[in-house]
Amino acid sequence: MKKVINATLGVCALLLLFICWRSIQDDQDFNAEVAAREAVVKARLMEIRSAEEAFKLQNGGEYCADWPVLIDFVKNGKLPIVKKQGVLSDKQMDDGLTERKAAEIVNSGDEAAIKANGLEGFRRDTVWVSLQDSLYNYEGFSADSLCYIPFSNGDQFELIACPNTTRSGAIIMVMECNAPDSCFLKGMGKQGKRLIYNRQEEADAKGAYPGLKIGDAGNNWNNNAGNWE
């Protein structure tokens, strides 16, 4: 009888150890899945930031708040690439010659001025290349998927672009792109729902955004940084 009791206790002890191990392992697996999802969403947000900053440079300093327009820009837009030949010497720069001035002299075709400034081997030629091939040159990239939050079953990032007034009174163009926790943490069971709730409570207490985002359309302009950076 004693042996039976000891054996039963031994089995119970092993079962408790297994339950504890399984609980710890489940937590580790859950945290790893959360981190993996966050990494994918952050990467997508940085792709969006690259597109927005290229768009701004070619559209009078304004960002884009319309997904079809931004996606079309990524698909069909061009980026200027400056091909450089030759460099300015310290003496040339001390004499007041800049890259811009040197390029203007060379582009003028004035052989005498080119020779006088020692720019015979200086060239600055601008060529236009595919924006998509330049910024997203990796297998699997799809411009059409840029607007969708990963793991959300089709939810789109919130895209904001608007003017804002700084504390000094200057007006600047700002952008913001948001991915709520409730979108990219979908389908993670009770733990996921609890995490979303806890993060919402924490964000509310801090006045922060409950999710991942780049930029800030409010009064905290941050040069389009991510809220995790």
Side-chain angles (χ1 to χ4, degrees):
M1 186 66 181
K2 186 176 181 180
K3 290 182 178 180
V4 173
I5 293 173
N6 288 338
T8 301
L9 291 174
V11 171
C12 289
L14 290 174
L15 183 60
L16 286 173
L17 286 174
F18 174 79
I19 292 172
C20 290
W21 172 83
R22 186 67 261 177
S23 177
I24 294 171
Q25 189 63 43
D26 285 346
D27 286 341
Q28 290 177 341
D29 291 344
F30 175 80
N31 292 335
E33 175 65 15
V34 171
R37 290 192 180 198
E38 287 179 334
V40 174
V41 175
K42 289 175 183 177
R44 180 69 55 82
L45 283 167
M46 288 188 284
E47 290 173 346
I48 294 168
R49 178 168 62 194
S50 296
E52 283 283 9
E53 290 178 347
F55 185 93
K56 179 187 178 184
L57 288 174
Q58 298 182 37
N59 290 274
E62 294 187 2
Y63 293 106
C64 182
D66 188 293
W67 276 119
V69 173
L70 187 62
I71 289 171
D72 180 73
F73 175 71
V74 170
K75 286 181 175 180
N76 302 305
K78 302 290 184 180
L79 279 182
I81 302 295
V82 178
K83 290 188 174 181
K84 297 184 177 182
Q85 179 182 342
V87 294
L88 296 177
S89 67
D90 291 340
K91 183 179 184 308
Q92 286 172 312
M93 289 188 287
D94 289 341
D95 291 340
L97 203 58
T98 64
E99 287 267 332
R100 181 175 180 179
K101 287 181 180 179
E104 288 175 351
I105 293 171
V106 171
N107 292 335
S108 73
D110 186 337
E111 295 295 336
I114 292 172
K115 186 175 182 179
N117 287 278
L119 297 172
E120 292 88 340
F122 187 91
R123 293 290 184 276
R124 294 294 184 267
D125 298 317
T126 300
V127 297
W128 291 83
V129 299
S130 166
L131 182 145
Q132 181 166 318
D133 291 345
S134 298
L135 296 183
Y136 312 107
N137 188 21
Y138 61 86
E139 186 177 353
F141 173 77
S142 170
D144 291 319
S145 298
L146 206 59
C147 61
Y148 297 111
I149 301 173
F151 313 106
S152 71
N153 297 323
D155 293 340
Q156 290 191 358
F157 289 97
E158 181 186 18
L159 193 60
I160 304 170
C162 61
N164 203 346
T165 304
T166 66
R167 293 176 182 175
S168 64
I171 297 177
I172 59 173
M173 302 305 297
V174 297
M175 63 82 59
E176 184 175 319
C177 188
N178 302 324
D181 290 326
S182 56
C183 288
F184 65 84
L185 295 179
K186 282 182 180 179
M188 297 194 71
K190 291 182 179 180
Q191 275 185 293
K193 291 179 180 178
R194 184 165 61 250
L195 179 62
I196 292 169
Y197 176 81
N198 290 340
R199 286 187 171 186
Q200 179 72 60
E201 291 286 300
E202 184 178 349
D204 289 344
K206 294 180 178 180
Y209 177 73
L212 297 171
K213 72 170 188 172
I214 53 171
D216 195 306
N219 295 319
N220 298 307
W221 182 67
N222 59 6
N223 200 28
N224 302 330
N227 62 349
W228 65 91
E229 293 178 312

